Amino acid sequence: MAVVELKVGMHCDKCIKAIKKAIKKIDEMESYQVDSETNKITVTGNITTEEVIKALQKVGKTASSVSEE
């Protein structure tokens, strides 16, 4: 099971709904969390970072890895 954390720009409810819809379409996605305050999404499941980024790009969102602090 993988955990993918990404930074994604979300400024309105429409953005958040599009992001959630895109994430739900990912095969073998177990769960996800969207934090609009920190612009961070966390997706868990049998997935790769690339799969999540591609799904977000389909709805016009760019995502970048959350840098390890």
Side-chain angles (χ1 to χ4, degrees), residues 8-22 34 36 56 59-61:
V8 184
M10 315 176 222
H11 347 60
C12 63
D13 287 340
K14 188 177 177 186
C15 294
I16 295 166
K17 283 180 185 172
I19 289 166
K20 286 181 180 178
K21 190 173 181 181
V34 177
S36 58
L56 293 169
V59 294
K61 291 289 170 190

Side-chain angles (χ1 to χ4, degrees), residues 5 7 38 40 65-69:
E5 288 188 329
K7 285 264 189 197
T38 60
K40 187 172 102 174
S65 295
V66 174
S67 57
E68 308 247 341
E69 292 177 15

Side-chain angles (χ1 to χ4, degrees), residues 51-68:
E51 284 178 299
V52 179
I53 290 173
K54 281 183 186 175
L56 293 169
Q57 286 174 339
K58 286 180 183 175
V59 294
K61 291 289 170 190
T62 54
S64 59
S65 295
V66 174
S67 57
E68 308 247 341

Side-chain angles (χ1 to χ4, degrees), residues 23-51:
I23 292 170
K24 288 177 186 175
K25 289 182 180 177
I26 300 170
D27 290 336
E28 299 192 48
M29 183 275 300
E30 295 280 324
S31 65
Y32 68 93
Q33 195 170 7
V34 177
D35 187 344
S36 58
E37 287 184 26
T38 60
N39 284 342
K40 187 172 102 174
I41 62 167
T42 306
V43 186
T44 57
N46 188 16
I47 53 164
T48 64
T49 302
E50 291 77 24
E51 284 178 299

